Amino acid sequence: MASIVARALVTVDAEKASKQDLELLKKLVMEFKDELDALGVKVDSLDKRVAVLEDRLGGWKINGQFWFDARFTSESDDGYSASAMAGNEGAGQDHFGFRFARFMITKYIDENTYFYARFRFNNGSGALDDWFADKFFVETKLPWDITMTLGRAYSDWEGDAALYHSVMGDNEGGLWNDQYYDGFNFKKSFGMLDAELLIGRNFSILDDRLDSISGVDSNTDINNDFMEYGLKLQANFSENFYAGIMGIYFSADGDAQYTDTNAGVAVWTDDVQQYGAYLSYSFTPSIALRGYYYWQDLGDNPNEANEDSPNAWSAMLDVKQDLLKFTSLWVQYVEQDNAFVGPRAAGVYPALFSGAANGPAIGSDGTNKTWLVTAEQQWGDSKWSSFLQYVTTDWDSAGYDDTDHYTIGVGYQYTPQIKFWLAYDYIDYGNGADQDHQGEESVILFRTAIDF
């Protein structure tokens, strides 16, 4: 009987099984636990199998994120609250709004294929008057163990290689994360070598950033879609060491342009190429050293005074709390040419409240330099956690002072699905003559994060 139960759990069809069927199987697993152990069947594995079946009952899975922020800003004449607070209010005003409002649907078609859609009910500004499907794809297994994704998907090669950090659900330190495209993605493993190929239409690589290759601050985007072709190869030499290379080619394809409002004419942009290399080495399971280097070819762009081959690089040290006991530690150094093009181009440095960056115009000369230090503490087996973060950026440009940024926060996991965050953030822009913001500013954030 125990053998029959084990086979039933392996072969049961989640499309046809009812909740009553699964409850019965769970009872049988517990009743025949000793016999299953004698047969060498891991009961823990069976329990996990039941959980997966329940999660996919009927082939459908529905979940979502509802994160609400209450932000109280200092009285100031700067634009911190209007940008970093992700709100439409004026400078110095408080802001109540949504960090995330997302609804996700997954349909498991068969054991090799599923459909996924994520509907985002705001554009990051905190309002719910704008919604769209930012992920909408089918993933399936092809012959020769090739995984294909077809539709609208995100590319985050830095995140896949653990090349940036996350605090309070926000990503810091990544220069090339979360760009979305419509197209194809193919993945295959050749033993120790993992390969990924993508072909698509990119909507985010130069979104609102055509100034970076034009040098004209008064541009207004007309159309900034690029065809994208990318290849990544990662060699996993051991459990402790992996390294990879990547190349991305963005073809303007006659559809990427900006308007020079001073001249009143449309100017077409050129193709963009980016190449990179990265590596990670873990000295122990608790301490790792990682790094990446990117270089770009911006082609023949309208403003030849700008650098046409910018680069960026970063080194980071990741220390887990089980080594230091009282805290984890993430230390990262980022150096980036101001002409570098990308989702995290110059003017946005890697910080928790990064919208308030106050650097020179994208595409300017010079190389900005950033130190990011984050310490996080999980308080034993309790539901409490805390973190400290410090970021400082040297913009390497006349008329721009260094930006110093301090953040402290505490979190409480009320239930597995609900977490509360309370954080204090302070920023010192300096008083450079060419800066948009000057002086000091602060904000208190209360975040309610509900995942269901």
Side-chain angles (χ1 to χ4, degrees):
M1 185 62 188
S3 178
I4 292 172
V5 171
R7 289 199 301 271
L9 281 166
V10 172
T11 60
V12 64
D13 189 345
E15 291 282 337
K16 299 176 181 178
S18 67
K19 188 171 182 63
Q20 291 78 13
D21 293 334
L22 295 178
E23 287 294 335
L24 177 58
L25 283 172
K26 288 172 66 175
K27 291 179 180 179
L28 290 171
V29 167
M30 296 309 300
E31 183 175 347
F32 292 95
K33 180 179 183 301
D34 294 338
E35 288 81 0
L36 288 167
D37 287 338
L39 289 173
V41 178
K42 300 295 185 182
V43 175
D44 290 343
S45 299
L46 295 179
D47 287 340
K48 292 178 182 178
R49 169 65 175 164
V50 171
V52 170
L53 290 170
E54 289 181 327
D55 192 36
R56 302 181 180 184
L57 191 63
W60 291 94
K61 178 181 178 181
I62 300 175
N63 60 311
Q65 294 177 304
F66 181 89
W67 291 21
F68 191 85
D69 286 353
R71 304 172 185 255
F72 305 91
T73 68
S74 63
E75 294 298 326
S76 171
D77 59 355
D78 288 318
Y80 185 29
S81 62
S83 55
M85 297 305 94
N88 298 319
E89 296 85 348
Q93 294 186 5
D94 299 334
H95 170 69
F96 282 46
F98 295 90
R99 177 66 179 89
F100 290 127
R102 293 171 173 172
F103 185 69
M104 289 81 83
I105 300 175
T106 306
K107 169 62 176 175
Y108 297 92
I109 300 171
D110 56 40
E111 61 182 7
N112 293 318
T113 308
Y114 71 92
F115 164 78
Y116 178 85
R118 185 174 77 177
F119 300 92
R120 180 172 178 170
F121 287 86
N122 73 320
N123 59 0
S125 66
L128 293 182
D129 55 357
D130 183 18
W131 71 274
F132 58 96
D134 64 340
K135 290 186 179 181
F136 199 87
F137 61 83
V138 171
E139 182 172 302
T140 187
K141 289 283 188 180
L142 299 178
W144 303 293
D145 290 328
I146 298 173
T147 300
M148 181 186 74
T149 303
L150 171 63
R152 173 166 293 185
Y154 275 72
S155 175
D156 187 6
W157 288 351
E158 282 184 63
D160 295 341
L163 297 176
Y164 63 78
H165 196 51
S166 178
V167 176
M168 289 179 60
D170 295 291
N171 300 326
E172 303 86 48
L175 295 182
W176 205 255
N177 55 301
D178 287 348
Q179 49 167 317
Y180 72 94
Y181 61 93
D182 288 351
F184 300 87
N185 182 289
F186 301 94
K187 296 179 182 178
K188 178 169 174 58
S189 178
F190 301 89
M192 62 178 288
L193 181 66
D194 295 332
E196 181 174 349
L197 172 69
L198 68 86
I199 304 171
R201 194 75 173 170
N202 190 295
F203 299 98
S204 61
I205 173 61
L206 295 180
D207 187 21
D208 297 325
R209 302 187 190 280
L210 290 180
D211 289 347
S212 63
I213 57 174
S214 69
V216 182
D217 294 335
S218 58
N219 296 339
T220 300
D221 293 358
I222 297 176
N223 189 325
N224 54 13
D225 294 355
F226 279 64
M227 283 299 298
E228 176 181 3
Y229 309 92
L231 177 64
K232 182 185 73 168
L233 300 174
Q234 177 174 308
N236 304 295
F237 298 103
S238 68
E239 293 183 357
N240 300 326
F241 179 44
Y242 61 83
I245 58 174
M246 65 180 75
I248 309 177
Y249 174 71
F250 299 95
S251 172
D253 195 31
D255 285 333
Q257 61 180 334
Y258 71 91
T259 298
D260 184 344
T261 55
N262 293 328
V265 297
V267 181
W268 300 98
T269 64
D270 205 346
D271 300 341
V272 175
Q273 300 176 53
Q274 173 168 305
Y275 306 95
Y278 63 90
L279 59 84
S280 172
Y281 183 77
S282 297
F283 299 94
T284 72
S286 299
I287 183 168
L289 183 66
R290 304 186 182 98
Y292 59 76
Y293 178 77
Y294 300 140
W295 63 99
Q296 296 181 331
D297 181 357
L298 303 183
D300 297 325
N301 295 297
N303 190 335
E304 295 182 359
N306 289 341
E307 184 178 356
D308 61 3
S309 56
N311 61 69
W313 67 274
S314 178
M316 59 216 75
L317 178 67
D318 184 9
V319 182
K320 305 300 182 185
Q321 184 170 339
D322 55 3
L323 177 67
L324 300 178
K325 305 304 180 184
F326 64 95
T327 187
S328 67
L329 191 63
W330 177 275
V331 181
Q332 182 172 6
Y333 177 75
V334 183
E335 192 166 303
Q336 176 188 9
D337 289 341
N338 288 330
F340 191 84
V341 176
R344 294 287 183 101
V348 179
Y349 56 93
L352 181 58
F353 296 89
S354 59
N358 197 36
I362 300 172
S364 301
D365 293 333
T367 302
N368 63 79
K369 305 169 183 66
T370 295
W371 280 98
L372 167 66
V373 181
T374 303
E376 295 179 88
Q377 304 82 36
Q378 181 63 46
W379 298 105
D381 296 329
S382 73
K383 298 181 178 181
W384 290 94
S385 60
S386 57
F387 72 90
L388 300 167
Q389 186 179 81
Y390 170 67
V391 183
T392 182
T393 299
D394 175 4
W395 297 110
D396 189 28
S397 185
Y400 294 87
D401 288 344
D402 294 354
T403 300
D404 294 318
H405 207 150
Y406 307 85
T407 311
I408 182 172
V410 60
Y412 180 70
Q413 191 75 51
Y414 180 62
T415 71
Q417 291 77 33
I418 302 175
K419 186 165 187 176
F420 300 109
W421 286 101
L422 181 64
Y424 172 78
D425 188 68
Y426 166 84
I427 188 168
D428 182 358
Y429 295 111
N431 296 288
D434 296 332
Q435 297 174 184
D436 293 331
H437 311 314
Q438 295 181 338
E440 303 170 355
E441 206 157 12
S442 63
V443 62
I444 295 175
L445 164 69
F446 177 68
R447 171 173 293 173
T448 303
I450 301 176
D451 299 322
F452 59 89

